[in-house]
Amino acid sequence: MTTETTTAATTEYAPETIAALDVLMDTDAYKLDHRRQYPAGTEYVYSNLTARGSRIPGVSWTAFFGLQAYLRDLNRRWSAFFTADVDEVCRAYMERVTQVLGPNDVGAEHIRQLYAYGRLPLRVRALPEGTIVPVGVPYLTVENTAPEFFWLTNYIETEMSAALWQPITSATTAWRNRTLLDARALDSGADSAAVDWQGHDFSFRGMAGSAGAAASGAGHLLAFTGTDCLPALGWIDRNYPGSPEGTIIGGSVPATEHSVMCAGTQDDEIETFVRLLDLYPTGIVSIVSDTWDLWHVCTGILPTLKAVITARDGKVVIRPDSGDPERILCGDPQAPAGSPAHKGVVNLLWEVFGGTVNAAGYRELDPHIGVIYGDSITHDRADAITANLMRQGYVSTTPVLGFGSYTYQYVTRDTFSIAMKATWVQVDGRGRDIAKAPVTDPGKRSARGRLAVVRDEHGPTLLQGAAGAVEATDAMRTVFEDGVIVNPVSFAEVRAAVRRDWAAYAAGEEDARNG
């Protein structure tokens, strides 16, 4: 295989032309000439987006989220194309195509046709956002609405995949963590409302830029309320408006970082604590406590300040974030017996502040004191920490757990093998089912034909080759038609849907296990 050596484009274009060009280039280079590669007479291409598998043992479902945000962004960006100077855009387009492919016959007439149409000729049908979707069942289908734009369906595949896999994967990750913490709270007699705030999003700095952090952070907020990812709140406001007044989408508390603590000195660390308590006489304040000696904070500073802390109308939250999370919180069995490290933060806080025993027999710390750990928390570590504390007699919601980029960035599109594939075409007036079925990788076999999703007692199920009355019963509904978003939903509605759908899905799984 050879490629042409080309030079960078040198023509200067107006900003609005560049914005329109950027939209046309939101695809893979190899798709630029697919219009001419389809069979002559092709009129419609129909594709679907599906999670084909799972790399996480025991997880065979995903939480569908992010489509409405993508469609709103799609319309916003394509408006730059439909309002630009089409002659300038086509010149810039051909210059860029030649820059990438060298001499070519791609042409720009299809770009002029699309400009003249004046809107995106696509129909997107999808399951309701918030649906718990078994792997192998499509989230959505896409097809062109005018025959001359058959090439556009899969032209947008690349950016649709890039835009959706992260919020879907993060929403799934968050909800998996939520189900664990809910179960532990139930077993230890904790207030289930505490779980809303037990999972906190600390991932922003480890994500691939603000846009990725915002989409992922919104996925986290489907399961929890605690977040420090402020871009997620703006992303939700723009893309999922309309939640009822008073709805809490996400929140946080005043909190320090190591720079604040280091600005004082180790010798006068207690003065830093005193200053912070004066600064925040009420409410919650979180204080990083392992800048130097965590165990001195727990056994020296906190006992000295106990009267001040317990007199506050609020909670002081101690935040260690270095070391093995389970051993720091629950105690290190390999440390010398009776030492602070052997006891761990939770036991040390109990020794200083005490607490109560709930109806289920588990200890709850005095409400004036708490602890959060936000370094390298994963599902497995959340599992281990809560189980360990419960074995010691503490309620599972004792620590707040900060889920960071270790949780939300150590994933890829292939975590759930999310892919968009064409399954039906119409050529010269005749529809035809199509599918890929590589003998070298049966796991990449795609669905075939027009698709429908029906719900039964076990949840959503895929029907292939659907048509007529069967397709009319599809649980997927039109959400985008010729550039118009249909039946938009609020974030509160999506959040309610995922909770409701998980309850139904979990009940179906339990019934299946019980025969």
Side-chain angles (χ1 to χ4, degrees):
M1 178 179 177
T2 61
T3 58
E4 296 285 346
T5 301
T6 59
T7 58
T10 57
T11 306
E12 292 187 7
Y13 292 100
E16 54 268 27
T17 301
I18 297 300
L21 177 63
D22 286 346
V23 172
L24 293 172
M25 292 296 116
D26 276 337
T27 191
D28 284 311
Y30 69 85
K31 291 182 179 289
L32 292 171
D33 206 21
H34 282 183
R35 176 182 59 88
R36 297 192 307 145
Q37 295 175 15
Y38 282 99
T42 300
E43 298 162 326
Y44 294 95
V45 176
Y46 172 97
S47 294
N48 76 99
L49 185 76
T50 301
R52 299 175 297 181
S54 171
R55 292 185 175 183
I56 302 176
V59 178
S60 58
W61 52 271
T62 60
F64 178 41
F65 178 58
L67 177 61
Q68 183 169 291
Y70 167 69
L71 294 174
R72 284 177 178 266
D73 185 58
L74 190 72
N75 265 351
R76 179 188 61 78
R77 289 182 295 106
W78 275 88
S79 68
F81 168 75
F82 290 118
T83 56
D85 183 317
V86 68
D87 292 329
E88 284 291 289
V89 171
C90 287
R91 274 194 291 272
Y93 174 80
M94 286 309 305
E95 186 172 322
R96 179 59 56 81
V97 171
T98 301
Q99 175 192 350
V100 173
L101 300 179
N104 66 86
D105 296 313
V106 171
E109 186 56 33
H110 59 304
I111 303 301
R112 291 184 181 276
Q113 286 181 323
L114 183 56
Y115 183 89
Y117 195 78
R119 58 195 184 280
L120 282 171
L122 295 171
R123 178 182 302 111
V124 180
R125 290 172 60 82
L127 293 173
E129 293 198 46
T131 299
I132 298 298
V133 186
V135 296
V137 174
Y139 307 112
L140 60 89
T141 63
V142 187
E143 63 183 317
N144 55 296
T145 56
E148 61 267 39
F149 303 116
F150 65 90
W151 56 272
L152 187 59
T153 298
N154 268 35
Y155 193 87
I156 69 163
E157 173 219 342
T158 308
E159 65 160 349
M160 175 176 272
S161 175
L164 291 181
W165 79 260
Q166 180 78 70
I168 290 171
T169 304
S170 292
T172 304
T173 300
W175 196 251
R176 181 179 180 231
N177 290 330
R178 174 75 196 219
T179 59
L180 166 69
L181 297 177
D182 274 341
R184 291 287 158 78
L186 180 65
D187 290 343
S188 61
D191 181 359
S192 60
V195 182
D196 287 343
W197 297 95
Q198 190 177 13
H200 200 89
D201 184 7
F202 283 154
S203 66
F204 185 1
R205 71 196 59 201
M207 304 305 289
S210 295
S216 174
H220 170 89
L221 289 171
L222 285 181
F224 299 105
T225 311
T227 184
D228 266 37
C229 184
L230 293 178
L233 301 180
W235 190 91
I236 290 168
D237 286 344
R238 290 190 303 274
N239 298 309
Y240 294 88
S243 295
E245 186 176 351
T247 300
I248 299 175
I249 300 298
S252 189
V253 301
T256 72
E257 64 179 16
H258 287 296
S259 70
V260 172
M261 308 308 290
C262 287
T265 66
Q266 185 172 2
D267 291 339
D268 67 358
E269 188 174 19
I270 190 169
E271 298 303 321
T272 301
F273 273 76
V274 170
R275 179 166 52 80
L276 291 167
L277 295 177
D278 287 341
L279 186 62
Y280 302 104
T282 62
I284 300 174
V285 58
S286 175
I287 304 176
V288 173
S289 302
D290 64 351
T291 298
W292 295 292
D293 188 346
L294 171 65
W295 308 125
H296 172 65
V297 169
C298 292
T299 62
I301 293 177
L302 294 181
T304 302
L305 298 177
K306 177 181 176 180
V308 177
I309 291 172
T310 55
R312 292 179 75 251
D313 179 15
K315 178 182 290 189
V316 174
V317 178
I318 302 305
R319 182 164 81 89
D321 72 349
S322 302
D324 182 302
E326 183 180 359
R327 295 186 179 196
I328 297 297
L329 290 173
C330 308
D332 182 355
Q334 296 179 351
S339 68
H342 186 270
K343 294 177 180 179
V345 171
V346 172
N347 283 309
L348 293 174
L349 295 181
W350 180 267
E351 287 183 356
V352 175
F353 295 94
T356 58
V357 177
N358 69 17
Y362 288 87
R363 290 184 284 180
E364 298 183 1
L365 287 174
D366 182 288
H368 297 93
I369 195 73
V371 61
I372 182 173
Y373 201 106
D375 182 60
S376 301
I377 297 297
T378 62
H379 182 274
D380 289 343
R381 283 177 169 166
D383 184 4
I385 289 166
T386 52
N388 192 331
L389 289 175
M390 287 174 64
R391 286 195 299 270
Q392 295 186 54
Y394 291 101
V395 71
S396 68
T397 52
T398 299
V400 173
L401 301 172
F403 294 104
S405 56
Y406 199 78
T407 288
Y408 289 123
Q409 204 257 346
Y410 272 45
V411 293
T412 71
R413 181 177 71 93
D414 289 327
T415 299
F416 296 111
S417 190
I418 295 174
M420 180 171 163
K421 299 299 175 185
T423 61
W424 183 88
V425 295
Q426 181 174 307
V427 180
D428 290 330
R430 299 185 63 179
R432 183 164 61 87
D433 296 352
I434 61 174
K436 61 177 287 187
V439 297
T440 51
D441 190 348
K444 287 190 173 182
R445 178 186 294 270
S446 67
R448 176 182 293 275
R450 300 187 70 86
L451 309 176
V453 177
V454 297
R455 288 181 176 271
D456 58 22
E457 65 273 15
H458 301 299
T461 302
L462 169 65
L463 291 181
Q464 303 182 54
V470 174
E471 195 170 12
T473 66
D474 188 5
M476 294 185 283
R477 291 290 181 262
T478 300
V479 295
F480 186 88
E481 178 99 24
D482 268 353
V484 177
I485 294 175
V486 182
N487 297 320
V489 293
S490 71
F491 189 77
E493 289 172 319
V494 180
R495 182 185 267 172
V498 74
R499 294 169 190 249
R500 182 176 60 247
D501 212 55
W502 172 257
Y505 181 81
E509 290 286 282
E510 183 67 23
D511 289 345
R513 284 193 294 271
N514 293 335

